[in-house]
Amino acid sequence: MTSSTLPLVPETTTVSGTGACAESADYWPWATPTTGPRNPAADGWVRGHDPRTVASGRARAQDPDYPEWLGHVRAASACKHPIRLAGQIHVNDADGNRMATVDTEDMPDGAIYTPCGNRRAAVCPSCAELYRRDTYHLIKAGLQGDRWGLPPLNEHIAIFLTATAPSFGPVHHRVVKVHAADCRKKDGCTCRPSVCHPFGRTCPHGVELRCGQRHKAADTHLGQPLCLDCYNHTGQVVWNHEAPELWRRTIQQADRELRRLGRTHGVDLRRRYIKVYEFQVRGVIHYHALIRLDGYNPDCPEAIVPPPRAITRDMFEQAVRAAFVKTAYTSAPHPANGRQGWHIAWGDKGLDLKHVNAPGTEVNLAQITGYIAKYVTKSTEVTGLSLRRVDDLSVQIHGDPGTHLGRLIRACWDLGEHPHYDRLRRWAHQFGYGGHIATKSRAFSVTLGFLRLQRTIWRRTEGHPHTWDDEQTERVIYELGYQATGWITTGDALLANTAAAMARAQHLAGIDALADELTAAHAVQPLAA
């Protein structure tokens, strides 16, 4: 040992037993155990894993076919609840004659592992992250273009808007008028908020509708009504139920406004959009939408061309705002509302509308793309309740009339008895909302199915997509059926997820190394000013 090399422990002490830890506590405080020593041989626990997990993982890792098994489950190795499929795979020639047949019984575990594909991070973080990344690239392609057959879109103007629901009663809220320079806004905001409800009156139920607190970001009172009996729970679940129809009518009205604008200037305009929904703490949704304005080429109606320069951002904004103001209708009648329908319209606070990559604004392509994509992995978790489908039994448990969320679920169940509102029962676990997490125009960008196909091609060609042959894939016939869900043992899940985590770390390290080698990044052209 050289003089410049420090020993791992003092030379005058040993490392065995509790006495050594006590003697070296002053010299090596960071090496002192925070809990008492654990003897693995005594109870079988290893690094927090119980004996059965350790035994099943050790048995799998000691199997001579372990490398083959690990490669077999690689596609679903990071999934929390993979789907196991069993059956046969047939390969035919160009004339339809059977050339070969592969049975899953000859594969490891007698099944094919495939990811569950759940988009919710609370259910499967790995599949949700994959869904988020696909959505990110889908949105990026719709704004930037110049990939996957899309033309460059730098000359197109776009706006980002947030459309909210009306008020159904006063709730505890947190409003920060001025954020600090280093504030992360929603994620861990510690800025000083305003007083919740400094003024208020006493409601007919004897509850004073005021709150003098300054709620923290994680306060459980946020989103809760000041008076549970005054709050319009039925109106809220009906609005959630009608929100997809309200959006459909709004986007149709936007088309009318754009046609009117185009006739004024003698041009043809087309709008393309993508939207996602987000649950507020009070249990009602609001939409985040990105709308892009395109032109029209009569010689090639399917082509994506930039809008005429005569149309400015302000004109586009006024047309969109007019569409949201004008759109309102009455829902189907219901006995609970005096055999009348509910008035369905957007909130009174108006649109939060911002121009993307406009001169003098801070809203750029990367911010908007990441902001929208992160919401596709979320659902009702923000409300503090995450459920599966509600049935006659679970509604008695979760439909507690003494809580805000319980009344929302109970309102969905009670109103769902009517034929026109039967979908409320199906979507009671989402407080009446049954729309898809993300919807878009066909010509806005590519589809998620296209992105999944590209990933499949990359995997099957082992990184050489130019060797892909569509005709050969049509000759492969899958006769697979559902076998089971999940890993066979907890040890299998531990080994597979560990391998996937190491692969992700290696992938990220490669990306960082590549970024360091690039001398200059390609400048992203902004959207039209």
Side-chain angles (χ1 to χ4, degrees), residues 69-314:
W69 175 85
L70 197 60
H72 180 65
V73 304
R74 182 178 60 179
S77 58
C79 181
K80 193 173 181 179
H81 309 286
I83 309 299
R84 303 204 301 269
L85 304 176
Q88 294 179 334
I89 302 175
H90 306 290
V91 181
N92 297 341
D93 58 14
D95 298 330
N97 300 319
R98 183 74 38 92
M99 297 176 58
T101 297
V102 179
D103 199 312
T104 56
E105 289 295 333
D106 301 328
M107 300 179 180
D109 295 342
I112 292 178
Y113 286 80
T114 183
C116 67
N118 198 297
R119 68 166 183 85
R120 296 176 61 178
V123 178
C124 183
S126 174
C127 292
E129 176 62 17
L130 187 63
Y131 197 99
R132 185 198 65 81
R133 292 186 180 185
D134 284 350
T135 305
Y136 176 89
H137 289 290
L138 185 150
I139 299 172
K140 184 177 180 180
L143 280 179
Q144 183 176 330
D146 202 17
R147 60 191 308 189
W148 297 321
L150 294 171
L153 303 174
N154 56 298
E155 297 183 5
H156 298 241
I157 60 179
I159 58 177
F160 173 73
L161 61 88
T162 300
T164 59
S167 174
F168 301 98
V171 298
H172 294 277
H173 64 264
R174 184 176 188 270
V175 177
V176 179
K177 296 182 179 179
V178 179
H179 287 274
D182 58 345
C183 177
R184 297 177 61 189
K185 298 297 175 65
K186 285 187 177 182
D187 301 329
C189 175
T190 57
C191 301
R192 180 180 173 85
S194 303
V195 177
C196 179
H197 282 84
F199 308 102
R201 56 179 176 81
T202 302
C203 73
H205 306 96
V207 179
E208 190 175 5
L209 302 180
R210 65 179 301 273
C211 177
Q213 297 184 8
R214 301 179 187 269
H215 298 290
K216 296 182 179 180
D219 196 332
T220 57
H221 290 89
L222 292 177
Q224 300 299 312
L226 272 66
C227 178
L228 203 60
D229 295 326
C230 291
Y231 196 83
N232 187 7
H233 293 90
T234 57
Q236 177 170 318
V237 299
V238 170
W239 195 94
N240 280 343
H241 176 266
E242 297 290 333
E245 175 64 17
L246 178 61
W247 173 265
R248 187 187 69 85
R249 297 189 182 206
T250 303
I251 208 66
Q252 288 180 348
Q253 182 63 34
D255 291 338
R256 299 187 191 99
E257 299 293 333
L258 290 177
R259 285 196 295 267
R260 188 177 296 111
L261 176 63
R263 287 195 298 268
T264 303
H265 294 81
V267 296
D268 290 328
L269 302 173
R270 295 291 184 273
R271 59 98 190 111
R272 271 86 187 205
Y273 75 90
I274 184 170
K275 71 170 178 67
V276 298
Y277 73 82
E278 177 194 5
F279 268 98
Q280 294 179 333
V281 184
R282 57 176 174 153
V284 71
I285 67 143
H286 62 257
Y287 285 126
H288 299 290
L290 186 63
I291 305 179
R292 188 187 73 212
L293 184 64
D294 297 345
Y296 178 75
N297 185 356
D299 297 332
C300 186
E302 301 298 328
I304 302 176
V305 297
R309 296 189 177 275
I311 307 301
T312 64
R313 290 183 180 272
D314 292 337

Side-chain angles (χ1 to χ4, degrees), residues 335-366:
N337 196 35
R339 299 193 178 278
Q340 296 180 355
W342 284 268
H343 179 72
I344 306 298
W346 299 103
D348 298 332
K349 294 183 178 180
L351 288 178
D352 181 9
L353 192 148
K354 299 177 181 178
H355 294 276
V356 181
N357 279 2
T361 63
E362 299 179 355
V363 181
N364 56 44
L365 184 149

Side-chain angles (χ1 to χ4, degrees), residues 384-397:
L385 189 66
S386 181
L387 301 175
R388 293 183 179 269
R389 301 277 186 198
V390 177
D391 53 22
D392 292 322
L393 179 61
S394 59
V395 73
Q396 302 298 330
I397 301 174

